[in-house]
Amino acid sequence: MNAEGTRHHVVLLGWLGCNPQNLKRYASFYRNDVKCSGMSIGVADWKSIFLSAFHGPLEQDRPMAALAKTILQEIENTNCHTTIIHSFSNGGCFLWEEMRRQMEERASAGLGYQFRIVGLIFDSCPCDLRVALRHPPPSDPRDTFEKAMQLCSREDQVEYQEWRSSCDDRSHAEIMVHGNSNNHDDFHARAEQFWEGWMYNSFIAPELYIFSKNDELTPLESLEELVTHRRQNHGFLS
């Protein structure tokens, strides 16, 4: 319960390849043990996550933005004034990035929401996209995404391979990944934008980062950099 004696609303943000059934155990924990009175579940599809990974917020064709808006509206429509965010892996982190962007945009316009976030759990941690740029050419950041796709359903894998095969001339793929350029400059800018968003966002609430020392996408030194900065500027981190 929160200070007002009412129960929290919890938001579960699924990983790449997740489906709502995979979150049943977590949903049960929050309902029965934490006694949350409301729950939202957000699972972005692979294409939304791909677009977020390589482009971030887009002005058009933004299914991630629509999903984030729906979740925020769900929270707003409940009677809960406090919210817990539990994000799983990078699929959840990219969705949280978009939710955070929309909340910050509303706040800057003096609108805001009626609820406040009282805790954030990142299980596992946001990826440091800059890692993909450390491999020598001709490495392709998309190879990392393709490796992650192996954990998705067979249907999603087939759809992804069909999409990638349709980009044999690379023109469409280059636009998707690198804008109009044929190098990694655009992806480099996106990698920096993503990490800076985690470092410098203005949310002040307890943050818990659950990580593995074997995580290829979030090296320990990157996580230490993030946690140290957040602790020094906002406190509350674990």
Side-chain angles (χ1 to χ4, degrees), residues 130-186:
R130 300 171 299 177
V131 171
L133 295 168
R134 295 172 188 161
H135 301 293
S139 68
D140 190 331
R142 288 169 296 175
D143 293 338
T144 301
F145 189 86
E146 185 160 315
K147 184 177 179 180
M149 283 296 301
Q150 295 173 10
L151 303 176
C152 295
S153 69
R154 180 61 182 163
E155 181 182 358
D156 283 348
Q157 290 183 48
V158 169
E159 185 180 0
Y160 174 74
Q161 289 300 335
E162 288 177 349
W163 172 81
R164 191 156 182 182
S165 295
S166 71
C167 303
D168 282 341
D169 63 357
R170 296 186 59 82
S171 59
H172 182 58
E174 291 295 343
I175 292 172
M176 287 281 285
V177 178
H178 308 304
N180 293 320
S181 64
N182 290 319
N183 53 52
H184 287 185
D185 289 350
D186 292 336

Side-chain angles (χ1 to χ4, degrees), residues 55-96:
H55 272 288
L58 301 172
E59 294 305 319
Q60 65 276 343
D61 190 22
R62 296 179 58 206
M64 188 74 85
L67 178 57
K69 184 177 181 180
T70 296
I71 294 171
L72 291 171
Q73 193 59 56
E74 282 182 8
I75 306 170
E76 185 80 337
N77 290 341
T78 69
N79 293 322
C80 301
H81 296 292
T82 53
T83 299
I84 299 169
I85 304 291
H86 192 150
S87 167
F88 295 91
S89 196
N90 293 306
C93 286
F94 286 123
L95 180 49
W96 165 242

Side-chain angles (χ1 to χ4, degrees), residues 4-5 14 18 27 59 61 71 90-91 106 114 117 127 134 153 169 175 181 189 194-195 215 220:
E4 292 79 26
C18 176
E59 294 305 319
D61 190 22
I71 294 171
N90 293 306
R106 280 182 59 113
Q114 295 302 310
I117 293 174
C127 60
R134 295 172 188 161
S153 69
D169 63 357
I175 292 172
S181 64
F194 182 72
W195 198 250
D215 192 333
L220 183 58

